[in-house]
């Protein structure tokens, strides 16, 4: 978690191993993080998610996240 301003955070998030997915660990982790952020006065957060990662998009939808218009990000790969 990285502060962006007095009331905003950027989440650098790691995933849940596929063998533990579907057991509620991700939901509980995100819900706990959101609750903590609210308790310390944060009103917004930012993160970058691949549009192909439907698992996390569905999880965030369950947590009532609002999504901004997508941005294109390109990565330079050297040989």
């Amino acid at each position: 978690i990285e502060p962006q301003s007095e009331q905003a955070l950027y989440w650098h998030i790691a995933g849940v191993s596929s063998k533990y997915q579907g057991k509620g660990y991700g939901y509980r982790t995100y819900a706990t993080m959101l609750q903590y952020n609210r308790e310390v006065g944060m009103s917004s957060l930012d993160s970058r998610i691949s549009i192909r990662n439907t698992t996390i998009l569905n999880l965030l939808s369950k947590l009532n996240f609002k999504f901004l218009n997508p941005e294109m990000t390109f990565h330079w790969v050297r040989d």
Side-chain angles (χ1 to χ4, degrees), residues 62-76:
K62 287 180 188 176
L63 291 165
N64 297 315
F65 272 67
K66 305 296 181 242
F67 299 97
L68 302 174
N69 291 329
E71 296 178 7
M72 296 289 285
T73 302
F74 299 95
H75 301 275
W76 182 265

Side-chain angles (χ1 to χ4, degrees), residues 1-5 7-13 33 37 42 44-49 73:
I1 296 175
E2 176 183 339
Q4 296 291 299
S5 70
Q7 295 182 325
L9 295 174
Y10 180 86
W11 285 6
H12 299 274
I13 303 293
M33 289 172 60
N37 291 337
M42 296 295 155
S44 68
L45 64 92
D46 187 21
S47 190
R48 301 291 184 259
I49 301 163
T73 302

Side-chain angles (χ1 to χ4, degrees), residues 31 33-43 63-65:
M33 289 172 60
L34 283 171
Q35 182 61 37
Y36 172 77
N37 291 337
R38 287 185 189 109
E39 289 172 4
V40 298
M42 296 295 155
S43 60
L63 291 165
N64 297 315
F65 272 67

Side-chain angles (χ1 to χ4, degrees), residues 47-69:
S47 190
R48 301 291 184 259
I49 301 163
S50 170
I51 194 71
R52 288 180 266 158
N53 190 342
T54 56
T55 301
I56 191 63
L57 293 172
N58 289 333
L59 171 67
L60 295 176
S61 292
K62 287 180 188 176
L63 291 165
N64 297 315
F65 272 67
K66 305 296 181 242
F67 299 97
L68 302 174
N69 291 329

